[in-house]
Amino acid sequence: MIPESVRADRMAENRDVLDLALTEQEMAAVAAFGTGASLFFDHREPAVVSRLGQVRHDH
């Protein structure tokens, strides 16, 4: 995430977060988020690929 602000006080708050430190338990919890599985569909599944290939895009 990239914070964005035009207010000097908010930019200082964003800069001050750089001293953030996570515990090993917190780091393990963050690592558990990356399961490698899609929450929507598996683009390696042939049936899904076939359905996606049939989607029309009208511009």
Side-chain angles (χ1 to χ4, degrees):
M1 178 186 312
I2 301 173
E4 180 181 332
S5 183
V6 295
R7 293 179 34 202
D9 59 328
R10 292 292 295 140
M11 286 189 272
E13 287 178 8
N14 291 338
R15 182 196 64 232
D16 291 342
V17 76
L18 295 178
D19 66 348
L20 174 71
L22 299 178
T23 65
E24 287 191 32
Q25 184 179 9
E26 290 167 329
M27 289 295 289
V30 170
F33 291 140
T35 65
S38 172
L39 298 176
F40 302 102
F41 57 82
D42 185 350
H43 64 278
R44 297 166 295 188
E45 176 64 39
V48 172
V49 173
S50 177
R51 281 193 309 255
L52 290 174
Q54 296 171 8
V55 174
R56 283 191 60 197
H57 296 284
D58 295 324
H59 297 269

